[in-house]
Amino acid sequence: MNIAIVGTGYVGLVTGTCFAEMGVNVTCVDIDERKIQKLKEGIMPIYEPGLDDLVTRNVKAGRLHFTTDLTTCLDEVEIVFSAVGTPPDEDGSADLRYVLEVARTVGQNIKKHVVLVTKSTVPVGTAKKVRAAIQEELDKRGVNIEFDVASNPEFLKEGAAIKDFMTPDRVVVGVESERARKLMEKLYKPFTLNGYPILIMDVPSAEMTKYAANAMLATRISFMNDIANLCERVGANVDNVRKGMGADSRIGNRFLYAGCGYGGSCFPKDVKALVHTGLENGYHMQVIEAVEAVNEKQKHIVFDKLQTAFNGDLQGKTIALWGLAFKPETDDMREAPALVVIQELLKAGATVKVYDPVAMDECKRRIGDVVTYCKDMYETVIDADALALLTEWKLFRLPSWAIIHRAMKSHVIVDGRNIYDGEELKELGFSYSRIGQK
């Protein structure tokens, strides 16, 4: 089976590579010539564990190809996946210019039936716009060529994307015709053979499923952060509360960890887009708006705790930060709490030293040299007045606290991810604070 994937960002590259691994002949398309050239050389544009080996293996096997021109493969493919970016506009709506550009390219060049599948996260109703864009180009050409538009939202966690794709909880596919349904079932047959469910539905429902799923996960995070902040004020321990809640089979224990807020490429953007979709349709998404408001406030909590530790005066203090990426196993810093913390510390007159195992270059690209980039986690704490954990990378879980205590000037620890034993640190002479416990 021959398919094309337009867009070699996080979703597109993982999707194309994993389909190739399952035996599909895949052409990945991107207008960025430099990125395509690097991919041909085996250089990955993103950090995702295991992806570089998978790309190399499938390129060598002749199942994975890269090009800058979609038209070179349109005659050969049965399905085209659109995995281009949908960045948020200022009003929170998803920017669909790239999605519609792909649709117009398809309409301008197809000579036979093709299914254009939207893989990017797009608002409900996008498929209608995509269909209209293709049909408009066919009308301009004066030709009558059958085509289908489908929705196949991604549910990939950064840092575990390959596993998520190869062993999915479910595959959601929205179609408009029996022909499109059969093609999508054929493409995903290897997954059904392994017992992973494919949920076939109408296109608007598939589009909404992605937003609803991400909004629910974001809601659980913000809910737990709200509970954690109240726990601090009433003398409760949020870890105990989480365990008590999670033991209820109706609730479960996933996404109930308090922390310094969520970030990344999905939750912030999708929550904003869902709020905007509600407003466009005359409906006020009160719960989802609250989820976003709580999260934005939560990103300030580490700074607030640092400020409290130094009686409101951070001028001239040196603050060490462990972790920059919004979560472990990725270099993604989109909407990362670290960006908020750094900005506030600098504004307060502090000197900031940072370390992250993979996101240092991304941080430098985003904010330049306004912070000191350290070679390892221990260099950050030399002469530091405080240390704050922002990303729970595994290498941060069991540090040598004796070394850290000797290296620091003052001994303030702010645990933004609640991974340390506060009693142990206090016994070692640290002033320790976390989220959701006094």
Side-chain angles (χ1 to χ4, degrees), residues 217-268:
L217 296 176
T219 298
R220 287 171 70 96
I221 294 170
S222 281
F223 174 84
M224 211 61 211
N225 282 333
D226 232 9
I227 292 295
N229 294 336
L230 183 57
C231 282
E232 289 189 26
R233 287 160 174 79
V234 300
N237 183 332
V238 73
D239 285 344
N240 293 333
V241 175
R242 171 180 58 79
K243 291 171 185 174
M245 288 175 57
D248 188 325
S249 60
R250 297 167 301 173
I251 298 173
N253 58 16
R254 302 188 68 183
F255 283 83
L256 289 183
Y257 289 86
C260 54
Y262 63 74
S265 61
C266 292
F267 289 1

Side-chain angles (χ1 to χ4, degrees), residues 4-6 80-84 98-99 102 116-120:
I5 312 280
V6 185
V80 176
F81 281 89
S82 176
V84 294
Y98 305 115
V99 171
V102 173
L116 178 56
V117 183
T118 303
K119 196 71 175 168
S120 310

Side-chain angles (χ1 to χ4, degrees), residues 16-174:
T17 304
C18 288
F19 272 134
E21 181 72 5
M22 299 299 278
V24 180
N25 189 51
V26 181
T27 301
C28 288
V29 184
D30 200 295
I31 60 172
D32 188 333
E33 293 183 7
R34 188 164 174 264
K35 183 189 288 188
I36 290 297
Q37 184 57 43
K38 284 191 171 184
L39 282 167
K40 288 179 178 179
E41 296 169 2
I43 302 171
M44 298 301 103
I46 58 173
Y47 176 82
E48 178 63 33
L51 183 60
D52 49 355
D53 290 339
L54 214 57
V55 169
T56 300
R57 179 162 70 245
N58 283 282
V59 168
K60 189 177 292 185
R63 293 188 298 267
L64 184 60
H65 319 273
F66 299 102
T67 181
T68 57
D69 188 357
L70 175 60
T71 63
T72 60
C73 63
L74 268 182
D75 292 347
E76 309 298 328
V77 301
E78 297 171 88
I79 299 172
V80 176
F81 281 89
S82 176
V84 294
T86 55
D89 277 340
E90 290 183 9
D91 62 359
S93 63
D95 185 345
L96 298 178
R97 76 180 82 173
Y98 305 115
V99 171
L100 297 178
E101 190 175 310
V102 173
R104 284 190 286 269
T105 300
V106 169
Q108 290 163 2
N109 293 281
I110 55 171
K111 298 174 184 175
K112 62 176 183 62
H113 177 270
V114 71
V115 182
L116 178 56
V117 183
T118 303
K119 196 71 175 168
S120 310
T121 301
V122 295
V124 178
T126 298
K128 291 181 180 179
K129 296 177 181 179
V130 168
R131 172 170 284 282
I134 296 174
Q135 190 60 56
E136 182 181 351
E137 296 302 328
L138 292 175
D139 292 343
K140 288 179 184 178
R141 292 168 59 191
V143 295
N144 183 21
I145 300 173
E146 289 187 12
F147 67 93
D148 276 291
V149 174
S151 173
N152 178 212
E154 54 87 14
F155 298 96
L156 306 177
K157 297 187 295 291
E158 294 190 40
I162 293 170
K163 180 180 182 296
D164 286 348
F165 194 97
M166 302 303 261
T167 58
D169 293 328
R170 79 292 200 200
V171 176
V172 173
V173 177

Side-chain angles (χ1 to χ4, degrees), residues 66 78 97 187 190 299 340 397 435:
F66 299 102
E78 297 171 88
R97 76 180 82 173
L187 177 63
K299 291 181 181 180
V340 174
R397 292 183 183 178
I435 313 297

